[in-house]
Amino acid sequence: MGCILSIIEAKNKKIRNSSLEVLSESQKIAKTKNLENKVIILGEYEQNNSDQINEFGIDVILLGATDKIKDYSPDLYKNAILNLINQLEPEIILFSGSAIGKDISPRIAANLNYNLVTECIEITIGNDGYQIRRPIFAGKIIQTLKFTKEPIVMSLKSNYFMIKKVDQKEFSTEQVNIEEVENTTMPMLKEIIQPQKETLDVSEAAIIVAGGRGMKEPDNFKLIEELAEVLDAAVGASRAVVDAGWRPHSEQVGQTGKIVSPNLYIAAGISGAIQHQVGMINSKCIVAINKDKNAPIFKFADFGIVGDLFEIIPELITKLKE
Ligand SMILES: Cc1cc2nc3c(=O)[nH]c(=O)nc-3n(C[C@H](O)[C@H](O)[C@H](O)COP(=O)(O)OP(=O)(O)OC[C@H]3O[C@@H](n4cnc5c(N)ncnc54)[C@H](O)[C@@H]3O)c2cc1C
């Protein structure tokens, strides 16, 4: 029986949301193609902890790689995953759309001379093979690709796939023998500096409060932070304020930032340029605060507040605190 291999990432002992999307999709592919659903979990995770993963139809969790490849290094990860692929010969290799997934999937495909499809947003399996849809030209066009045979390396665009659980299922564990892998990368990881304050990641948050150039100056982001704190939300930003050095790139939402799909996205002082829109259009509810009633963001927001954000946000904070 052939298999599908999913590369799953954990952070702070939890499986990342982007990887839960991979698990949801891999169970579908495994079932349709009658493949064994094999998973390797990289990063900090109790490998036998089934709480987060026992409802994703996993057949086998592969153990034995994590000790060898703890911290991210492109060469270490690539070599270890290649090692695994040589042993398992999977038909499909599935990555998330995380920074690591984006970095490693092309290296794997190039090394093995396999087909590669990045940023998949829909995978359909029919009698004639796989039909995969992915956005191109900053989301202006959706490309449809057809593959009639495996192996294929795929990476999923984050926040596009529903996290779908199935019935609880027992999985087995399998020890894999990853040979000592050599790190040949020129830049070596020396230290990981954690942020001073633990903040919510925009790509994982259920609520995001984002600010743009309408905030006028970096100090005014205190307002966005305060509103975010009241709502237990992550702070997001437009590229204009990231480029200006007001906010870190990790908060940038959009084409060259992160793709998000929270339940609630509050955009304050953001015009709604197409490059910002492609990053947040999948939010369940978009609330825009902008003093210009003709701002493009009002064309796709669910609720619009036309007015000065410096009056509206403090009022919102007061009401929410009440
Ligand atoms: C290749 C490429 C990639 C890009 N990638 C990204 C990306 O990933 N993410 C991204 O965001 N952008 C991206 N951009 C930039 C994008 O085109 C816009 O320039 C940017 O999104 C604008 O940011 P903004 O909305 O904060 O600023 P602006 O467009 O200047 O909008 C500011 C808004 O604030 C409003 N405002 C001002 N004062 C107030 C007030 N007191 N109260 C309420 N509203 C107020 C104004 O009416 C205005 O609508 C990219 C551009 C290119 C070319």
Side-chain angles (χ1 to χ4, degrees):
M1 189 183 197
C3 77
I4 171 167
L5 172 64
S6 298
I7 317 298
I8 298 303
E9 294 166 43
K11 194 178 169 193
N12 300 333
K13 303 202 168 154
K14 274 186 77 185
I15 306 285
R16 304 188 65 166
N17 277 350
S18 54
S19 284
L20 292 178
E21 292 179 60
V22 170
L23 290 179
S24 306
E25 206 53 23
S26 72
Q27 68 185 335
K28 183 191 94 183
I29 299 173
K31 201 169 164 197
T32 318
K33 297 289 288 182
N34 196 23
L35 298 172
E36 228 181 340
N37 192 7
K38 295 194 173 185
V39 163
I40 183 124
I41 305 174
L42 302 177
E44 210 189 318
Y45 193 71
E46 299 271 351
Q47 296 287 324
N48 284 324
N49 173 9
S50 58
D51 290 358
Q52 241 195 313
I53 48 177
N54 62 0
E55 289 169 276
F56 287 98
I58 298 170
D59 294 308
V60 182
I61 302 262
L62 302 161
L63 305 177
T66 310
D67 295 348
K68 301 257 172 26
I69 44 173
K70 257 196 188 119
D71 294 323
Y72 182 63
S73 146
D75 260 12
L76 279 182
Y77 269 49
K78 181 197 76 187
N79 291 340
I81 294 167
L82 281 175
N83 212 305
L84 254 185
I85 293 172
N86 287 334
Q87 291 174 55
L88 303 173
E89 297 182 349
E91 301 190 8
I92 301 289
I93 301 131
L94 209 53
F95 287 87
S96 75
S98 68
I100 292 178
K102 282 182 187 156
D103 195 21
I104 292 294
S105 52
R107 294 171 197 266
I108 298 290
N111 231 280
L112 296 165
N113 208 14
Y114 284 1
N115 282 316
L116 168 72
V117 200
T118 58
E119 309 228 293
C120 307
I121 58 167
E122 195 183 292
I123 302 168
T124 319
I125 303 164
N127 292 337
D128 54 346
Y130 297 81
Q131 182 166 300
I132 304 173
R133 282 156 55 81
R134 61 190 293 272
I136 54 171
F137 299 123
K140 288 197 186 82
I141 295 175
I142 303 294
Q143 179 184 48
T144 303
L145 297 166
K146 286 185 179 170
F147 293 89
T148 48
K149 59 176 194 270
E150 299 97 348
I152 316 170
V153 179
M154 303 179 192
S155 74
L156 306 187
K157 196 166 177 69
S158 296
N159 289 314
Y160 266 83
F161 291 84
M162 292 275 286
I163 296 175
K164 276 187 233 137
K165 294 183 175 178
V166 289
D167 290 340
Q168 199 149 329
K169 180 177 173 185
E170 289 280 312
F171 55 79
S172 62
T173 54
E174 194 176 301
Q175 193 71 29
V176 282
N177 201 5
I178 302 264
E179 290 156 24
E180 213 46 70
V181 277
E182 202 188 336
N183 189 352
T184 51
T185 319
M186 287 299 282
M188 300 281 287
L189 178 85
K190 284 197 164 172
E191 191 189 355
I192 296 175
I193 301 166
Q194 299 296 349
Q196 284 173 343
K197 197 172 147 214
E198 201 52 55
T199 47
L200 276 170
D201 183 346
V202 275
S203 53
E204 310 255 322
I207 304 177
I208 296 171
V209 183
R213 195 158 21 209
M215 296 307 298
K216 304 279 190 271
E217 52 181 274
D219 249 16
N220 292 337
F221 262 82
K222 283 192 196 120
L223 265 184
I224 297 283
E225 284 169 349
E226 202 181 336
L227 180 56
E229 199 174 324
V230 180
L231 290 167
D232 197 17
V235 172
S238 71
R239 176 164 163 179
V241 298
V242 172
D243 282 355
W246 299 1
R247 301 302 297 179
H249 183 259
S250 56
E251 291 179 2
Q252 186 180 316
V253 173
Q255 181 191 329
T256 41
K258 291 184 176 158
I259 305 291
V260 300
S261 63
N263 293 330
L264 174 63
Y265 189 89
I266 303 179
I270 293 179
S271 57
I274 178 75
Q275 296 90 352
H276 189 81
Q277 188 187 338
V278 293
M280 41 71 90
I281 194 70
N282 283 331
S283 307
K284 314 271 175 320
C285 177
I286 298 170
V287 177
I289 307 169
N290 199 303
K291 67 177 186 185
D292 173 9
K293 69 174 174 25
N294 296 317
I297 198 153
F298 289 130
K299 294 206 173 80
F300 55 90
D302 297 286
F303 297 95
I305 306 172
V306 180
D308 187 344
L309 67 89
F310 295 103
E311 290 168 14
I312 293 157
I313 297 184
E315 204 158 319
L316 260 178
I317 294 170
T318 311
K319 291 267 183 253
L320 284 164
K321 279 186 177 165
E322 277 169 21

